[in-house]
Amino acid sequence: MGEVFRALDEKLNRHVAIKILHSCFCTSPEVMRRFSNEGRVLAKLRHKNIVKVFDYGTVNETPYLCQEFIEGTDLKKLIEADYPFTPNEVVHIVAEVASALVHLHENNILH
């Protein structure tokens, strides 16, 4: 539904991730509502496996989320590249994801 860009927050001298909604979705009030709601909801959460949201809004009618930038490799890319995960790595990844999902559910958020 969107693209994510790495950017520099010049005020705080840190890299951030800017998530921008694709323009084809900007005409849907429902999608716009959900995107704004995502920003408000994520901004309230505090969990080591959920990115922090610093800001959200609209610039030139394009909605954006400004989020914590996490350095590293995308898990999806590793899976697509047939990365040889060890059983211990798989258990660790699943446990980390489950921990984040539990936190979401404890905050009445379904993902």
Side-chain angles (χ1 to χ4, degrees):
M1 290 180 58
E3 290 184 79
V4 179
F5 300 91
R6 180 179 178 167
L8 177 64
D9 178 341
E10 293 178 338
K11 290 180 186 174
L12 299 175
N13 194 31
R14 66 178 173 189
H15 284 100
V16 294
I18 305 291
K19 181 178 181 180
I20 298 174
L21 191 63
H22 279 299
S23 60
C24 64
F25 295 108
C26 294
T27 58
S28 167
E30 176 61 19
V31 173
M32 295 290 285
R33 184 193 64 74
R34 286 177 42 208
F35 193 81
S36 293
N37 190 50
E38 178 182 348
R40 282 191 300 278
V41 168
L42 287 175
K44 295 177 184 178
L45 297 175
R46 294 290 177 264
H47 189 278
K48 68 178 184 170
N49 297 322
I50 299 174
V51 297
K52 295 173 185 71
V53 170
F54 302 132
D55 189 22
Y56 77 95
T58 304
V59 173
N60 298 327
E61 300 182 24
T62 301
Y64 71 89
L65 289 174
C66 179
Q67 303 172 311
E68 171 184 21
F69 176 77
I70 310 271
E71 191 76 46
T73 303
D74 185 312
L75 179 60
K76 181 180 178 185
K77 289 179 184 173
L78 291 175
I79 292 168
E80 289 171 350
D82 290 327
Y83 179 84
F85 292 102
T86 67
N88 285 344
E89 287 173 320
V90 172
V91 169
H92 176 74
I93 291 167
V94 170
E96 295 294 314
V97 171
S99 173
L101 288 172
V102 166
H103 185 71
L104 290 171
H105 293 178
E106 288 172 347
N107 286 276
N108 298 315
I109 300 165
L110 298 178
H111 191 321

